[in-house]
């Protein structure tokens, strides 16, 4: 679902209340919160980097080893399949700006941006497939108009690949979103609500 309204109409409050009420009504529901940021709009995967770092409770002042340890632990906890966890970890680290142990596939992919983007997308979708294997997931995204295009493409890929999984996304944005991302999610049967 996409909730569109001008600044000051209460989109952030609506997002907060939606998350609070659904969590109270459905204790098994995982809720991930993310937001676009005008300062990160040019950074690839900026929206998802923040979400992944929040999931792993990574603080910016921590050492690289601490960040890598937290991320590896979080991926292991959310991925029941250890082989999938091992395979996706380096690429989720790339997405989140966290260096995990040296991975030859990642090192090779870094030489070709198209291959790297493809492998990050595959890892992201596989990760969400694991996360939604035993629990429903709701992703609440605020200020989507300030998102970066790679984050939008990751989300679109996940919605397509995981349409049979308990995955829901509710994004909140200002009307200029449609100028920046025309035809956003039209192939995903998006439900748009316009606030007035």
């Amino acid at each position: 679902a996409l909730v569109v309204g001008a600044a000051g109409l209460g989109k952030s409050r609506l997002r907060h209340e939606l998350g609070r009420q659904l969590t109270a009504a459905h204790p098994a529901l995982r809720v991930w919160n993310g937001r676009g940021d005008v300062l990160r709009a040019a950074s690839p995967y900026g929206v998802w980097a923040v979400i992944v770092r929040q999931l792993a409770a990574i603080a910016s002042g921590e050492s690289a080893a601490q960040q890598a340890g937290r991320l590896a632990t979080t991926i292991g906890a959310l991925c029941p399949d250890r082989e999938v966890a091992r395979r996706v970890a380096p690429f989720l680290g790339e997405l989140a700006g966290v260096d995990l142990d040296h991975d030859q596939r990642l090192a090779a992919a870094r030489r070709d941006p198209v291959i790297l983007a493809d492998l990050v997308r595959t890892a992201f979708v596989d990760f969400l497939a694991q996360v939604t294997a035993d629990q429903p997931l709701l992703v609440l995204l605020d200020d989507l108009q300030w998102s970066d295009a790679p984050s939008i493409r990751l989300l679109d890929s996940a919605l397509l690949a995981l349409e049979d999984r308990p995955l829901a996304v509710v994004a909140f944005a200002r009307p200029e979103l449609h100028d920046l991302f025309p035809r956003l999610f039209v192939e995903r049967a998006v439900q748009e609500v316009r606030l007035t």
Side-chain angles (χ1 to χ4, degrees):
L2 185 58
V3 180
V4 178
L9 287 181
K11 295 182 300 298
S12 295
R13 179 65 180 187
L14 181 60
R15 178 191 50 79
H16 172 76
E17 288 299 325
L18 179 64
R20 187 183 66 75
Q21 290 184 24
L22 286 175
T23 302
H26 306 282
L29 178 67
R30 282 189 174 112
V31 178
W32 293 357
N33 288 286
R35 70 179 323 116
D37 184 331
V38 70
L39 298 177
R40 283 193 312 268
S43 301
Y45 312 120
V47 171
W48 291 106
V50 170
I51 291 173
V52 170
R53 292 175 73 87
Q54 285 173 352
L55 289 173
I58 293 172
S60 58
E62 291 180 318
S63 71
Q66 288 173 312
Q67 291 184 24
R70 286 185 188 274
L71 183 58
T73 300
T74 299
I75 292 170
L78 291 173
C79 285
D81 185 322
R82 295 293 165 233
E83 176 55 30
V84 173
R86 185 196 62 74
R87 185 170 36 83
V88 305
F91 297 99
L92 290 178
E94 180 76 7
L95 179 152
V98 175
D99 278 329
L100 296 176
D101 292 335
H102 178 72
D103 183 88
Q104 291 180 345
R105 295 168 304 143
L106 177 58
R110 284 179 173 158
R111 293 191 284 269
D112 186 330
V114 174
I115 292 173
L116 180 60
D118 219 26
L119 290 172
V120 167
R121 180 186 48 76
T122 300
F124 178 77
V125 170
D126 289 349
F127 176 63
L128 286 188
Q130 289 284 298
V131 169
T132 57
D134 62 348
Q135 274 184 274
L137 172 62
L138 171 64
V139 180
L140 298 174
L141 298 172
D142 205 3
D143 290 327
L144 198 65
Q145 75 278 356
W146 291 327
S147 180
D148 56 283
S151 287
I152 297 279
R153 284 193 295 271
L154 280 184
L155 180 57
D156 192 53
S157 295
L159 289 171
L160 174 63
L162 304 173
E163 64 184 1
D164 62 335
R165 293 296 183 118
L167 169 64
V169 176
V170 182
F172 298 80
R174 295 181 185 177
E176 57 263 32
L177 173 76
H178 292 301
D179 296 330
L180 299 167
F181 300 104
R183 300 183 41 81
L184 180 69
F185 305 136
V186 293
E187 296 175 6
R188 308 295 160 250
V190 66
Q191 296 180 33
E192 184 169 331
V193 176
R194 289 191 172 261
L195 299 182
T196 59

mmCIF file of all heavy atoms in Angstrom, residues 13 15 33 58 62 79 106 126 128 131 142 166 178 192:
data_model
loop_
_atom_site.group_PDB
_atom_site.id
_atom_site.type_symbol
_atom_site.label_atom_id
_atom_site.label_comp_id
_atom_site.label_asym_id
_atom_site.label_seq_id
_atom_site.Cartn_x
_atom_site.Cartn_y
_atom_site.Cartn_z
ATOM 1 N N ARG A 13 2.680 10.063 11.759
ATOM 2 C CA ARG A 13 1.861 9.638 12.899
ATOM 3 C C ARG A 13 1.024 8.418 12.527
ATOM 4 O O ARG A 13 0.887 7.466 13.305
ATOM 5 C CB ARG A 13 0.951 10.790 13.344
ATOM 6 C CG ARG A 13 0.045 10.464 14.489
ATOM 7 C CD ARG A 13 0.845 10.190 15.728
ATOM 8 N NE ARG A 13 -0.040 9.862 16.836
ATOM 9 C CZ ARG A 13 0.363 9.713 18.072
ATOM 10 N NH1 ARG A 13 1.638 9.877 18.361
ATOM 11 N NH2 ARG A 13 -0.479 9.418 19.011
ATOM 12 N N ARG A 15 1.785 6.180 10.274
ATOM 13 C CA ARG A 15 2.706 5.046 10.210
ATOM 14 C C ARG A 15 2.997 4.511 11.606
ATOM 15 O O ARG A 15 2.960 3.308 11.849
ATOM 16 C CB ARG A 15 4.011 5.460 9.524
ATOM 17 C CG ARG A 15 5.045 4.333 9.476
ATOM 18 C CD ARG A 15 6.410 4.828 9.043
ATOM 19 N NE ARG A 15 6.889 5.986 9.751
ATOM 20 C CZ ARG A 15 7.430 5.965 10.981
ATOM 21 N NH1 ARG A 15 7.552 4.840 11.634
ATOM 22 N NH2 ARG A 15 7.850 7.081 11.533
ATOM 23 N N ASN A 33 10.936 -0.807 10.330
ATOM 24 C CA ASN A 33 10.704 0.590 9.987
ATOM 25 C C ASN A 33 11.901 1.153 9.233
ATOM 26 O O ASN A 33 13.050 0.941 9.635
ATOM 27 C CB ASN A 33 10.479 1.420 11.257
ATOM 28 C CG ASN A 33 9.140 1.137 11.879
ATOM 29 O OD1 ASN A 33 8.107 1.563 11.364
ATOM 30 N ND2 ASN A 33 9.128 0.390 12.977
ATOM 31 N N ILE A 58 23.599 -2.109 15.129
ATOM 32 C CA ILE A 58 24.948 -1.617 14.842
ATOM 33 C C ILE A 58 24.986 -0.114 15.102
ATOM 34 O O ILE A 58 24.190 0.638 14.551
ATOM 35 C CB ILE A 58 25.345 -1.909 13.385
ATOM 36 C CG1 ILE A 58 25.477 -3.420 13.164
ATOM 37 C CG2 ILE A 58 26.629 -1.192 13.013
ATOM 38 C CD1 ILE A 58 25.683 -3.826 11.726
ATOM 39 N N GLU A 62 31.079 1.858 16.450
ATOM 40 C CA GLU A 62 31.661 0.551 16.726
ATOM 41 C C GLU A 62 32.759 0.215 15.727
ATOM 42 O O GLU A 62 32.751 0.693 14.592
ATOM 43 C CB GLU A 62 30.583 -0.534 16.655
ATOM 44 C CG GLU A 62 29.577 -0.455 17.775
ATOM 45 C CD GLU A 62 28.519 -1.532 17.679
ATOM 46 O OE1 GLU A 62 28.036 -1.790 16.558
ATOM 47 O OE2 GLU A 62 28.186 -2.105 18.715
ATOM 48 N N CYS A 79 17.904 -16.288 9.668
ATOM 49 C CA CYS A 79 17.935 -17.280 8.584
ATOM 50 C C CYS A 79 18.004 -18.679 9.178
ATOM 51 O O CYS A 79 19.075 -19.111 9.625
ATOM 52 C CB CYS A 79 19.157 -17.067 7.689
ATOM 53 S SG CYS A 79 19.036 -15.672 6.580
ATOM 54 N N LEU A 106 32.076 -11.921 -3.569
ATOM 55 C CA LEU A 106 31.878 -10.487 -3.411
ATOM 56 C C LEU A 106 33.035 -9.711 -4.035
ATOM 57 O O LEU A 106 32.815 -8.721 -4.742
ATOM 58 C CB LEU A 106 31.730 -10.132 -1.928
ATOM 59 C CG LEU A 106 31.582 -8.645 -1.603
ATOM 60 C CD1 LEU A 106 30.381 -8.046 -2.321
ATOM 61 C CD2 LEU A 106 31.465 -8.447 -0.103
ATOM 62 N N ASP A 126 16.540 -13.652 -1.022
ATOM 63 C CA ASP A 126 16.715 -14.906 -0.282
ATOM 64 C C ASP A 126 16.631 -14.672 1.226
ATOM 65 O O ASP A 126 16.070 -15.487 1.960
ATOM 66 C CB ASP A 126 18.057 -15.554 -0.632
ATOM 67 C CG ASP A 126 18.084 -16.112 -2.048
ATOM 68 O OD1 ASP A 126 17.012 -16.195 -2.682
ATOM 69 O OD2 ASP A 126 19.184 -16.468 -2.507
ATOM 70 N N LEU A 128 14.933 -12.214 2.764
ATOM 71 C CA LEU A 128 13.525 -11.978 3.121
ATOM 72 C C LEU A 128 12.699 -13.254 3.045
ATOM 73 O O LEU A 128 11.768 -13.438 3.825
ATOM 74 C CB LEU A 128 12.918 -10.892 2.223
ATOM 75 C CG LEU A 128 13.340 -9.462 2.505
ATOM 76 C CD1 LEU A 128 12.513 -8.489 1.663
ATOM 77 C CD2 LEU A 128 13.207 -9.102 3.970
ATOM 78 N N VAL A 131 13.342 -14.832 6.337
ATOM 79 C CA VAL A 131 12.699 -14.078 7.418
ATOM 80 C C VAL A 131 11.197 -14.358 7.462
ATOM 81 O O VAL A 131 10.606 -14.472 8.533
ATOM 82 C CB VAL A 131 12.968 -12.566 7.254
ATOM 83 C CG1 VAL A 131 12.098 -11.740 8.182
ATOM 84 C CG2 VAL A 131 14.445 -12.266 7.496
ATOM 85 N N ASP A 142 8.755 5.369 5.594
ATOM 86 C CA ASP A 142 8.349 6.767 5.629
ATOM 87 C C ASP A 142 9.211 7.565 4.644
ATOM 88 O O ASP A 142 10.341 7.184 4.336
ATOM 89 C CB ASP A 142 8.528 7.309 7.050
ATOM 90 C CG ASP A 142 7.611 8.483 7.352
ATOM 91 O OD1 ASP A 142 6.795 8.855 6.482
ATOM 92 O OD2 ASP A 142 7.696 9.034 8.465
ATOM 93 N N PRO A 166 4.135 -14.174 3.599
ATOM 94 C CA PRO A 166 3.451 -13.187 4.448
ATOM 95 C C PRO A 166 4.293 -11.916 4.585
ATOM 96 O O PRO A 166 4.889 -11.638 5.616
ATOM 97 C CB PRO A 166 3.291 -13.924 5.779
ATOM 98 C CG PRO A 166 4.441 -14.869 5.817
ATOM 99 C CD PRO A 166 4.677 -15.285 4.389
ATOM 100 N N HIS A 178 5.593 10.452 -7.234
ATOM 101 C CA HIS A 178 5.212 9.975 -8.567
ATOM 102 C C HIS A 178 6.027 10.637 -9.681
ATOM 103 O O HIS A 178 6.193 10.051 -10.745
ATOM 104 C CB HIS A 178 3.713 10.170 -8.792
ATOM 105 C CG HIS A 178 2.884 9.281 -7.924
ATOM 106 N ND1 HIS A 178 2.979 7.908 -7.953
ATOM 107 C CD2 HIS A 178 1.947 9.571 -6.988
ATOM 108 C CE1 HIS A 178 2.137 7.378 -7.086
ATOM 109 N NE2 HIS A 178 1.500 8.364 -6.480
ATOM 110 N N GLU A 192 -3.269 2.580 -3.416
ATOM 111 C CA GLU A 192 -2.833 3.919 -3.024
ATOM 112 C C GLU A 192 -3.949 4.650 -2.297
ATOM 113 O O GLU A 192 -5.104 4.646 -2.717
ATOM 114 C CB GLU A 192 -2.411 4.722 -4.259
ATOM 115 C CG GLU A 192 -1.862 6.077 -3.920
ATOM 116 C CD GLU A 192 -1.207 6.787 -5.077
ATOM 117 O OE1 GLU A 192 -0.676 6.104 -5.981
ATOM 118 O OE2 GLU A 192 -1.221 8.044 -5.084
#
